[in-house]
Amino acid sequence: MEKLIKEFLHAENMLQTRRHFLNTCTTGLGVAALSSLMGGCFPNKSGENQAMTDPTLPKTPHFAPKVKRVIYIHMAGAPSQLELFDYKPELQKYDGRDCPQEFLEGKKFAFIRGVPKMLGPLAQFSQRGQSGAYISDFMPYLPEVADDLTFLKAMYTDQFNHAPAQLLMHTGSPRLGRPSLGSWAMYGLGTENQNLPGFIVLASGGRSPDAGKSVWGNGFLPSIYQGVQCRTGADPVLYVSDPHGMSRDIRKQTIEAINEINRQQYEEVQDPEILTRISQYEMAFRMQMSVPEVMDISKEPEWVRNMYGAEVGDASFANNCLLARRLVENGVRFVQLFHWGWDAHGTDQRLSLDGGFKDLCQITDRAVTGLIKDLKMRGLLDETLVVWGGEFGRTPMQENRDGQTLPFKGRDHHLDAFTVFMAGGGLKKGMSLGETDPLGYYGVKDRTHVHDLQATILHLLGFDHEKLTYFFQGRPFRLTDVAGKVIKPILS
């Protein structure tokens, strides 16, 4: 009751704000000026008021979509494409030699200084499936689904530091403040299940991505569209459970009273963030029942858990992959998985390519393969898009620091070439697009930028990436900013 009284007093105080004065006590010129400065409060260029509806309700995309939902698997730290998918036998011949000067002149690296040595691939490669895709022995399970994969082998980016590169990959900008890909998908499509968030995030590996929660943030979009981070265990979402001593009936009555105040305030100021607040209170109440149910992997048959390598009660990447399937199966629109630890510089055993990096491959390979197989068995893969990749690639040179070779095998950050693979509806299966030079340094054929990948993901969801916009601070913004082209050769 005390909290309800505080909410009421807060609402009363809000009526004394300058925004309230400009909106109700002037001729309207004040609110017009304010709307041009506070574009997030009036998302339409004309300043039209939104209808009093739930902003997460399902919406119609620009055209018929190829997929209904996305599972984006981000390996934070950037896995080495040269040990996984970009087979370069010529690089082995240069192992231990000084790096050619043309690779160094005019280039900036995160850590390499002076003239580093070239480093041959540390894994064995074989062609897999009928498609003949090159996959290394670091990933023993993935060949089982090789013919379901679509590779982009000449991806490039503009950023060689982790946080800006992760922001660019997920928000379209290396700077803070832009909505994430999942938020744009929610904004454009809404959600299929009103009892669950439409955009859910699952993190593993012991740490969050370098860019923090901004990579699943809503930016200038209403906050209802931000990703909701869930945890494995009895309390998947923090602060959703009823406080001690409060019954569910009292909680329901409290929320109804609070939202009645919010509705009255919305009628006063027409701020869409109030609709977000109403939706979030109601969603949190519904989530108390729905989230624990869908997050309980003990309900899965043992053979399914074994396919992923999942264990009941673990907070693991394998469990998160199984949860991703359960979430999309229950109508969640966008599931984002982050697994930290892929920054294989070679500074110690944990960050070495033939040590900690290889171990990470073993940990994650089985679960990703299990996810794709499971989706396919259930008839979900044709209407789901699975994306796997990091924020940039790794150099064909062994990393050095201050001109000194490191004691373990590692590679520096590299923005000119890396590999992403996808699986699911609307794609040509068993296809590889893009080619790098014989040493794996530059993309020499069918290069694709981060913005191109984003445009393609939106296209598969039924959107023209140039038309999915949000008016903010005087102009329409979009995920791909002023760039990006749909990667048409990979579309079926």
Side-chain angles (χ1 to χ4, degrees):
M1 183 58 69
E2 182 182 352
K3 192 171 183 180
L4 180 60
I5 293 171
K6 287 182 178 179
E7 184 82 17
F8 175 75
L9 292 174
H10 176 71
E12 284 290 302
N13 290 332
M14 286 294 290
L15 294 178
Q16 310 305 319
T17 63
R18 285 174 290 179
R19 180 183 295 175
H20 174 70
F21 172 77
L22 290 170
N23 195 32
T24 62
C25 305
T26 72
T27 61
L29 296 177
V31 74
L34 184 64
S35 68
S36 68
L37 297 174
M38 303 289 287
C41 298
F42 299 95
N44 298 315
K45 190 169 184 179
S46 61
E48 295 176 1
N49 297 328
Q50 290 188 346
M52 187 64 175
T53 59
D54 186 338
T56 66
L57 289 175
K59 304 166 191 173
T60 303
H62 298 148
F63 47 82
K66 297 292 186 180
V67 296
K68 295 180 178 179
R69 58 194 75 89
V70 175
I71 299 173
Y72 196 123
I73 304 169
H74 184 96
M75 301 306 189
S80 171
Q81 74 283 2
L82 296 169
E83 269 66 47
L84 297 180
F85 308 117
D86 201 11
Y87 178 48
K88 295 298 170 186
E90 191 71 15
L91 181 60
Q92 191 64 54
K93 300 177 184 178
Y94 284 80
D95 185 57
R97 298 187 190 180
D98 286 349
C99 177
Q101 280 299 314
E102 60 264 31
F103 286 0
L104 304 174
E105 292 174 356
K107 295 292 184 181
K108 291 182 179 180
F109 300 94
F111 295 100
I112 284 177
R113 302 293 183 268
V115 180
K117 302 292 185 182
M118 302 301 288
L119 178 63
L122 302 180
Q124 299 297 316
F125 283 80
S126 300
Q127 288 183 281
R128 308 291 189 166
Q130 294 184 352
S131 65
Y134 279 103
I135 300 175
S136 84
D137 61 351
F138 278 19
M139 289 193 160
Y141 289 93
L142 198 63
E144 297 175 20
V145 295
D147 291 333
D148 294 301
L149 305 181
T150 304
F151 289 93
L152 298 174
K153 291 194 173 181
M155 286 285 299
Y156 68 102
T157 181
D158 306 331
Q159 303 295 320
F160 61 69
N161 285 321
H162 294 293
Q166 289 168 4
L167 285 169
L168 180 63
M169 178 64 75
H170 294 286
T171 75
S173 171
R175 290 170 290 279
L176 296 169
R178 298 289 185 88
S180 60
L181 176 55
S183 295
W184 280 109
M186 265 286 287
Y187 166 66
L189 291 172
T191 183
E192 294 179 307
N193 187 340
Q194 296 300 304
N195 294 324
L196 290 169
F199 176 18
I200 288 182
V201 180
L202 300 166
S204 55
R207 282 179 53 182
S208 295
D210 301 80
K213 296 183 179 181
S214 295
V215 287
W216 62 81
N218 58 291
F220 46 70
L221 291 176
S223 54
I224 192 67
Y225 300 121
Q226 69 182 321
V228 175
Q229 186 176 5
C230 291
R231 309 175 304 162
T232 54
D235 195 12
V237 183
L238 291 173
Y239 313 119
V240 169
S241 300
D242 289 327
H244 180 69
M246 176 177 280
S247 70
R248 188 161 176 80
D249 286 341
I250 294 176
R251 181 65 170 261
K252 181 179 180 181
Q253 292 171 18
T254 302
I255 291 174
E256 287 174 348
I258 292 171
N259 279 349
E260 181 56 34
I261 295 172
N262 286 331
R263 290 186 185 93
Q264 292 177 18
Q265 187 181 28
Y266 177 78
E267 292 173 1
E268 290 277 348
V269 299
Q270 300 290 304
D271 185 346
E273 274 299 307
I274 299 172
L275 295 181
T276 290
R277 193 183 311 157
I278 292 170
S279 296
Q280 286 175 331
Y281 271 119
E282 294 175 347
M283 172 65 77
F285 183 73
R286 296 192 298 266
M287 283 169 58
Q288 289 179 318
M289 303 296 290
S290 58
V291 171
E293 173 73 18
V294 75
M295 299 287 284
D296 184 3
I297 68 168
S298 68
K299 299 182 182 298
E300 294 287 337
E302 185 176 359
W303 69 269
V304 172
R305 297 199 301 269
N306 288 340
M307 186 165 57
Y308 289 82
E311 296 286 345
V312 176
D314 281 0
S316 66
F317 177 78
N319 282 21
N320 287 351
C321 284
L322 178 51
L323 287 172
R325 191 225 81 208
R326 289 176 63 85
L327 289 167
V328 298
E329 193 175 36
N330 282 274
V332 175
R333 185 72 72 182
F334 202 102
V335 180
Q336 179 81 64
L337 303 186
F338 287 99
H339 189 69
W340 181 85
W342 294 84
D343 198 18
H345 286 285
T347 50
D348 56 37
Q349 177 68 17
R350 183 179 62 84
L351 295 178
S352 65
L353 290 168
D354 50 357
F357 176 85
K358 186 176 181 180
D359 293 341
L360 282 175
C361 292
Q362 304 298 317
I363 290 170
T364 59
D365 170 47
R366 179 178 176 183
V368 172
T369 304
L371 172 63
I372 294 171
K373 291 169 64 176
D374 200 6
L375 290 170
K376 189 174 181 180
M377 285 190 298
R378 295 168 189 271
L380 292 171
L381 187 59
D382 287 341
E383 54 187 31
T384 304
L385 177 65
V386 179
V387 184
W388 182 101
E391 59 265 32
F392 42 63
R394 314 302 295 202
T395 60
M397 305 87 80
Q398 181 171 358
E399 183 173 325
N400 62 13
R401 300 271 175 109
D402 299 322
Q404 300 297 313
T405 301
L406 295 173
F408 296 91
K409 299 294 177 73
R411 303 184 188 275
D412 202 355
H413 307 170
H414 190 49
L415 52 79
D416 286 309
F418 66 105
T419 299
V420 167
F421 73 73
M422 296 185 284
L427 298 171
K428 292 179 181 176
K429 303 179 189 299
M431 178 182 182
S432 292
L433 180 73
E435 183 180 334
T436 57
D437 64 59
L439 299 184
Y441 192 94
Y442 290 109
V444 294
K445 182 180 179 182
D446 294 323
R447 299 175 76 219
T448 47
H449 187 265
V450 167
H451 287 312
D452 300 331
L453 176 63
Q454 294 162 347
T456 304
I457 293 171
L458 290 180
H459 176 84
L460 291 169
L461 287 170
F463 290 104
D464 181 335
H465 72 104
E466 295 182 353
K467 295 179 180 178
L468 182 62
T469 61
Y470 188 89
F471 197 81
F472 177 70
Q473 292 185 338
R475 77 171 179 92
F477 281 80
R478 71 184 208 226
L479 171 64
T480 52
D481 198 31
V482 294
K485 295 181 179 179
V486 175
I487 308 171
K488 293 183 179 180
I490 67 171
L491 302 180
S492 60

